[in-house]
Amino acid sequence: MDPMDLRGLVPAPVTAFTADGEVDHAANAELARWLVEVEGVKGLVCLGHAGEGTYLTAEEQVGLIRTLVEAVGDRVPVIAGITGEGTKTAALEARRAAEAGAIGALVYPSHGWLRFGFQPGAPQERYRAIHEESGLQCILFQYPDATKATYDLPTQLEIAAQPGVVATKNGVRNMRRWDTEIPVLRENFPQLQILTCHDEYLLHTMFDVDGALVGYGGLAPEPLVELIEAGKARDYAKAREVHDRLLPVTKAVYHRGSHMEGTVALKLGLVARGVLKDATVRPPLQPLGEEAAAEIESALQQARLI
């Protein structure tokens, strides 16, 4: 199988729920179809942070993958977030995703590493086991520098060299590391697709990447495609214009007390855009309230998205 072509926008959309908290398959299919209608969208990632993937049962995860695969057909690959804590658990999760029709795997670090760090070689083994068990094409997920689950450069290089690894989603959120490590990855692995996931810091990173894999893409795909194209053209003036046009939305969605609130804000934004009818989230996420909904709607108006 040829490597997935992710050189563009890869949204990581929210998971739509009914008002009583059940997965709304019809709404998720409609959201997926809306996104892939945007020229420049190259894939969809489900079951990530924005998609509340760890809040779904294994049966719900499989059902959602099947819904998205059926909705988009062969227009773009569906990529599943793989979040299982243990290596075997994650590999079996990936096999279920492949059987449901996913093509790729966004491989999350074992979340115990966030607090305690990882032993040398453990991340490499995680990627190897997932690919061998499932055959899914893997995306190396680089966590923020502020966590203990961020990978040092040698670990990134070793993962990138493994069979089945076709891209990296880099969210290191440390521009010193970004500016020094991305060129090394490029030099050593020219075919590795570099994707930014800095939802709230897109302008700086947009000139170094093949694309963006962001939850933000599930709300504002049209201007984000513009931003990616401007970055590839090295057109700073255009990129700055798009960035500034989006800034009210960026602030309303991501400049909040917790990055997790961004998921709730994305759903409120999709309701304001008329794409979703319901902004229900699952605990431990909490609703943001009417004031936030009005703020997000106003920001979308300023960005000319509604």
mmCIF file of all heavy atoms in Angstrom, residues 90-119:
data_model
loop_
_atom_site.group_PDB
_atom_site.id
_atom_site.type_symbol
_atom_site.label_atom_id
_atom_site.label_comp_id
_atom_site.label_asym_id
_atom_site.label_seq_id
_atom_site.Cartn_x
_atom_site.Cartn_y
_atom_site.Cartn_z
ATOM 1 N N ALA A 90 -2.562 -1.585 23.137
ATOM 2 C CA ALA A 90 -2.585 -0.646 22.018
ATOM 3 C C ALA A 90 -2.548 -1.382 20.688
ATOM 4 O O ALA A 90 -3.226 -0.984 19.723
ATOM 5 C CB ALA A 90 -1.408 0.313 22.136
ATOM 6 N N ALA A 91 -1.769 -2.442 20.606
ATOM 7 C CA ALA A 91 -1.687 -3.203 19.359
ATOM 8 C C ALA A 91 -3.026 -3.839 19.013
ATOM 9 O O ALA A 91 -3.451 -3.846 17.848
ATOM 10 C CB ALA A 91 -0.595 -4.267 19.470
ATOM 11 N N LEU A 92 -3.718 -4.378 20.012
ATOM 12 C CA LEU A 92 -5.030 -4.974 19.766
ATOM 13 C C LEU A 92 -6.056 -3.905 19.409
ATOM 14 O O LEU A 92 -6.943 -4.131 18.575
ATOM 15 C CB LEU A 92 -5.481 -5.765 20.995
ATOM 16 C CG LEU A 92 -4.639 -7.012 21.302
ATOM 17 C CD1 LEU A 92 -5.107 -7.651 22.608
ATOM 18 C CD2 LEU A 92 -4.708 -8.010 20.149
ATOM 19 N N GLU A 93 -5.943 -2.741 20.034
ATOM 20 C CA GLU A 93 -6.808 -1.616 19.678
ATOM 21 C C GLU A 93 -6.595 -1.246 18.205
ATOM 22 O O GLU A 93 -7.563 -0.979 17.465
ATOM 23 C CB GLU A 93 -6.498 -0.426 20.580
ATOM 24 C CG GLU A 93 -7.322 0.812 20.316
ATOM 25 C CD GLU A 93 -6.881 1.996 21.164
ATOM 26 O OE1 GLU A 93 -5.934 1.859 21.980
ATOM 27 O OE2 GLU A 93 -7.482 3.076 21.003
ATOM 28 N N ALA A 94 -5.347 -1.219 17.781
ATOM 29 C CA ALA A 94 -5.041 -0.889 16.392
ATOM 30 C C ALA A 94 -5.593 -1.946 15.442
ATOM 31 O O ALA A 94 -6.091 -1.611 14.357
ATOM 32 C CB ALA A 94 -3.526 -0.753 16.216
ATOM 33 N N ARG A 95 -5.524 -3.211 15.819
ATOM 34 C CA ARG A 95 -6.074 -4.258 14.954
ATOM 35 C C ARG A 95 -7.579 -4.091 14.795
ATOM 36 O O ARG A 95 -8.120 -4.252 13.688
ATOM 37 C CB ARG A 95 -5.754 -5.649 15.515
ATOM 38 C CG ARG A 95 -6.203 -6.775 14.572
ATOM 39 C CD ARG A 95 -5.691 -8.126 15.023
ATOM 40 N NE ARG A 95 -6.389 -8.586 16.231
ATOM 41 C CZ ARG A 95 -6.098 -9.715 16.872
ATOM 42 N NH1 ARG A 95 -5.103 -10.487 16.436
ATOM 43 N NH2 ARG A 95 -6.769 -10.066 17.947
ATOM 44 N N ARG A 96 -8.271 -3.751 15.883
ATOM 45 C CA ARG A 96 -9.717 -3.507 15.782
ATOM 46 C C ARG A 96 -9.995 -2.334 14.836
ATOM 47 O O ARG A 96 -10.947 -2.366 14.044
ATOM 48 C CB ARG A 96 -10.308 -3.216 17.157
ATOM 49 C CG ARG A 96 -10.334 -4.389 18.115
ATOM 50 C CD ARG A 96 -11.231 -4.111 19.308
ATOM 51 N NE ARG A 96 -10.798 -2.978 20.119
ATOM 52 C CZ ARG A 96 -9.946 -3.056 21.139
ATOM 53 N NH1 ARG A 96 -9.415 -4.229 21.466
ATOM 54 N NH2 ARG A 96 -9.619 -1.984 21.833
ATOM 55 N N ALA A 97 -9.159 -1.299 14.927
ATOM 56 C CA ALA A 97 -9.343 -0.137 14.055
ATOM 57 C C ALA A 97 -9.150 -0.514 12.592
ATOM 58 O O ALA A 97 -9.916 -0.081 11.714
ATOM 59 C CB ALA A 97 -8.365 0.967 14.456
ATOM 60 N N ALA A 98 -8.138 -1.326 12.317
ATOM 61 C CA ALA A 98 -7.886 -1.752 10.942
ATOM 62 C C ALA A 98 -9.045 -2.598 10.417
ATOM 63 O O ALA A 98 -9.480 -2.447 9.270
ATOM 64 C CB ALA A 98 -6.580 -2.531 10.869
ATOM 65 N N GLU A 99 -9.546 -3.472 11.245
ATOM 66 C CA GLU A 99 -10.663 -4.316 10.832
ATOM 67 C C GLU A 99 -11.920 -3.486 10.563
ATOM 68 O O GLU A 99 -12.770 -3.881 9.764
ATOM 69 C CB GLU A 99 -10.942 -5.381 11.900
ATOM 70 C CG GLU A 99 -9.836 -6.430 11.995
ATOM 71 C CD GLU A 99 -9.979 -7.343 13.198
ATOM 72 O OE1 GLU A 99 -10.809 -7.024 14.091
ATOM 73 O OE2 GLU A 99 -9.249 -8.353 13.276
ATOM 74 N N ALA A 100 -12.026 -2.331 11.223
ATOM 75 C CA ALA A 100 -13.170 -1.441 11.013
ATOM 76 C C ALA A 100 -12.995 -0.552 9.788
ATOM 77 O O ALA A 100 -13.923 0.165 9.419
ATOM 78 C CB ALA A 100 -13.399 -0.585 12.256
ATOM 79 N N GLY A 101 -11.804 -0.567 9.179
ATOM 80 C CA GLY A 101 -11.590 0.182 7.947
ATOM 81 C C GLY A 101 -10.606 1.323 8.024
ATOM 82 O O GLY A 101 -10.371 2.005 7.023
ATOM 83 N N ALA A 102 -10.012 1.557 9.191
ATOM 84 C CA ALA A 102 -9.001 2.609 9.299
ATOM 85 C C ALA A 102 -7.775 2.240 8.472
ATOM 86 O O ALA A 102 -7.446 1.056 8.300
ATOM 87 C CB ALA A 102 -8.599 2.843 10.747
ATOM 88 N N ILE A 103 -7.096 3.270 7.969
ATOM 89 C CA ILE A 103 -5.875 3.092 7.198
ATOM 90 C C ILE A 103 -4.649 3.459 8.028
ATOM 91 O O ILE A 103 -3.577 2.881 7.888
ATOM 92 C CB ILE A 103 -5.899 3.958 5.921
ATOM 93 C CG1 ILE A 103 -7.073 3.546 5.025
ATOM 94 C CG2 ILE A 103 -4.583 3.852 5.161
ATOM 95 C CD1 ILE A 103 -7.004 2.122 4.541
ATOM 96 N N GLY A 104 -4.813 4.452 8.908
ATOM 97 C CA GLY A 104 -3.685 4.944 9.677
ATOM 98 C C GLY A 104 -3.921 4.884 11.173
ATOM 99 O O GLY A 104 -5.049 4.693 11.644
ATOM 100 N N ALA A 105 -2.824 5.059 11.906
ATOM 101 C CA ALA A 105 -2.857 5.093 13.369
ATOM 102 C C ALA A 105 -2.080 6.315 13.852
ATOM 103 O O ALA A 105 -0.897 6.461 13.515
ATOM 104 C CB ALA A 105 -2.246 3.823 13.955
ATOM 105 N N LEU A 106 -2.752 7.190 14.594
ATOM 106 C CA LEU A 106 -2.067 8.251 15.318
ATOM 107 C C LEU A 106 -1.720 7.673 16.679
ATOM 108 O O LEU A 106 -2.601 7.453 17.512
ATOM 109 C CB LEU A 106 -2.953 9.484 15.451
ATOM 110 C CG LEU A 106 -2.376 10.625 16.295
ATOM 111 C CD1 LEU A 106 -1.067 11.142 15.716
ATOM 112 C CD2 LEU A 106 -3.393 11.750 16.435
ATOM 113 N N VAL A 107 -0.443 7.404 16.900
ATOM 114 C CA VAL A 107 -0.017 6.615 18.052
ATOM 115 C C VAL A 107 0.305 7.538 19.228
ATOM 116 O O VAL A 107 1.313 8.247 19.224
ATOM 117 C CB VAL A 107 1.201 5.740 17.705
ATOM 118 C CG1 VAL A 107 1.615 4.910 18.913
ATOM 119 C CG2 VAL A 107 0.872 4.836 16.511
ATOM 120 N N TYR A 108 -0.559 7.507 20.217
ATOM 121 C CA TYR A 108 -0.349 8.287 21.437
ATOM 122 C C TYR A 108 0.675 7.591 22.323
ATOM 123 O O TYR A 108 0.769 6.364 22.320
ATOM 124 C CB TYR A 108 -1.661 8.428 22.209
ATOM 125 C CG TYR A 108 -2.618 9.419 21.604
ATOM 126 C CD1 TYR A 108 -3.231 9.168 20.372
ATOM 127 C CD2 TYR A 108 -2.910 10.617 22.237
ATOM 128 C CE1 TYR A 108 -4.097 10.079 19.805
ATOM 129 C CE2 TYR A 108 -3.782 11.537 21.684
ATOM 130 C CZ TYR A 108 -4.367 11.260 20.469
ATOM 131 O OH TYR A 108 -5.216 12.177 19.910
ATOM 132 N N PRO A 109 1.421 8.349 23.101
ATOM 133 C CA PRO A 109 2.296 7.694 24.081
ATOM 134 C C PRO A 109 1.463 7.031 25.161
ATOM 135 O O PRO A 109 0.310 7.420 25.399
ATOM 136 C CB PRO A 109 3.112 8.868 24.656
ATOM 137 C CG PRO A 109 2.254 10.063 24.450
ATOM 138 C CD PRO A 109 1.492 9.826 23.183
ATOM 139 N N SER A 110 2.020 6.032 25.781
ATOM 140 C CA SER A 110 1.378 5.458 26.953
ATOM 141 C C SER A 110 1.226 6.575 27.986
ATOM 142 O O SER A 110 2.195 7.268 28.310
ATOM 143 C CB SER A 110 2.245 4.328 27.511
ATOM 144 O OG SER A 110 1.649 3.739 28.636
ATOM 145 N N HIS A 111 0.020 6.780 28.482
ATOM 146 C CA HIS A 111 -0.217 7.999 29.249
ATOM 147 C C HIS A 111 0.420 7.999 30.641
ATOM 148 O O HIS A 111 0.556 9.048 31.261
ATOM 149 C CB HIS A 111 -1.712 8.314 29.292
ATOM 150 C CG HIS A 111 -2.167 8.974 28.017
ATOM 151 N ND1 HIS A 111 -2.385 8.249 26.862
ATOM 152 C CD2 HIS A 111 -2.376 10.265 27.699
ATOM 153 C CE1 HIS A 111 -2.740 9.079 25.893
ATOM 154 N NE2 HIS A 111 -2.737 10.301 26.366
ATOM 155 N N GLY A 112 0.848 6.828 31.106
ATOM 156 C CA GLY A 112 1.644 6.815 32.330
ATOM 157 C C GLY A 112 2.951 7.569 32.175
ATOM 158 O O GLY A 112 3.513 8.084 33.142
ATOM 159 N N TRP A 113 3.438 7.654 30.921
ATOM 160 C CA TRP A 113 4.693 8.368 30.663
ATOM 161 C C TRP A 113 4.553 9.865 30.924
ATOM 162 O O TRP A 113 5.550 10.542 31.165
ATOM 163 C CB TRP A 113 5.141 8.146 29.219
ATOM 164 C CG TRP A 113 5.428 6.717 28.884
ATOM 165 C CD1 TRP A 113 5.614 5.678 29.751
ATOM 166 C CD2 TRP A 113 5.563 6.160 27.573
ATOM 167 N NE1 TRP A 113 5.856 4.508 29.073
ATOM 168 C CE2 TRP A 113 5.826 4.768 27.729
ATOM 169 C CE3 TRP A 113 5.470 6.683 26.285
ATOM 170 C CZ2 TRP A 113 6.012 3.912 26.651
ATOM 171 C CZ3 TRP A 113 5.650 5.835 25.198
ATOM 172 C CH2 TRP A 113 5.924 4.460 25.375
ATOM 173 N N LEU A 114 3.322 10.396 30.826
ATOM 174 C CA LEU A 114 3.131 11.824 31.068
ATOM 175 C C LEU A 114 3.648 12.221 32.451
ATOM 176 O O LEU A 114 4.226 13.295 32.633
ATOM 177 C CB LEU A 114 1.649 12.183 30.948
ATOM 178 C CG LEU A 114 1.088 12.235 29.528
ATOM 179 C CD1 LEU A 114 -0.429 12.206 29.557
ATOM 180 C CD2 LEU A 114 1.586 13.485 28.821
ATOM 181 N N ARG A 115 3.449 11.355 33.409
ATOM 182 C CA ARG A 115 3.863 11.651 34.783
ATOM 183 C C ARG A 115 5.245 11.105 35.101
ATOM 184 O O ARG A 115 6.049 11.772 35.755
ATOM 185 C CB ARG A 115 2.842 11.069 35.761
ATOM 186 C CG ARG A 115 3.195 11.334 37.222
ATOM 187 C CD ARG A 115 2.154 10.771 38.164
ATOM 188 N NE ARG A 115 2.536 10.994 39.556
ATOM 189 C CZ ARG A 115 1.884 10.489 40.603
ATOM 190 N NH1 ARG A 115 0.813 9.735 40.409
ATOM 191 N NH2 ARG A 115 2.288 10.733 41.832
ATOM 192 N N PHE A 116 5.529 9.880 34.629
ATOM 193 C CA PHE A 116 6.721 9.178 35.092
ATOM 194 C C PHE A 116 7.848 9.100 34.067
ATOM 195 O O PHE A 116 8.954 8.682 34.403
ATOM 196 C CB PHE A 116 6.348 7.754 35.527
ATOM 197 C CG PHE A 116 5.359 7.715 36.661
ATOM 198 C CD1 PHE A 116 4.072 7.261 36.452
ATOM 199 C CD2 PHE A 116 5.708 8.142 37.929
ATOM 200 C CE1 PHE A 116 3.153 7.224 37.494
ATOM 201 C CE2 PHE A 116 4.803 8.108 38.974
ATOM 202 C CZ PHE A 116 3.513 7.648 38.759
ATOM 203 N N GLY A 117 7.568 9.467 32.803
ATOM 204 C CA GLY A 117 8.572 9.317 31.764
ATOM 205 C C GLY A 117 8.598 7.895 31.222
ATOM 206 O O GLY A 117 7.859 7.018 31.669
ATOM 207 N N PHE A 118 9.457 7.664 30.226
ATOM 208 C CA PHE A 118 9.498 6.364 29.556
ATOM 209 C C PHE A 118 10.908 5.788 29.608
ATOM 210 O O PHE A 118 11.898 6.516 29.669
ATOM 211 C CB PHE A 118 9.036 6.477 28.097
ATOM 212 C CG PHE A 118 9.825 7.456 27.271
ATOM 213 C CD1 PHE A 118 10.982 7.078 26.621
ATOM 214 C CD2 PHE A 118 9.392 8.777 27.157
ATOM 215 C CE1 PHE A 118 11.716 7.979 25.862
ATOM 216 C CE2 PHE A 118 10.116 9.688 26.396
ATOM 217 C CZ PHE A 118 11.269 9.291 25.753
ATOM 218 N N GLN A 119 10.982 4.474 29.583
ATOM 219 C CA GLN A 119 12.280 3.798 29.504
ATOM 220 C C GLN A 119 12.783 3.834 28.063
ATOM 221 O O GLN A 119 11.990 3.721 27.122
ATOM 222 C CB GLN A 119 12.149 2.353 29.965
ATOM 223 C CG GLN A 119 11.809 2.200 31.437
ATOM 224 C CD GLN A 119 11.532 0.753 31.772
ATOM 225 O OE1 GLN A 119 10.471 0.227 31.477
ATOM 226 N NE2 GLN A 119 12.523 0.099 32.365
#
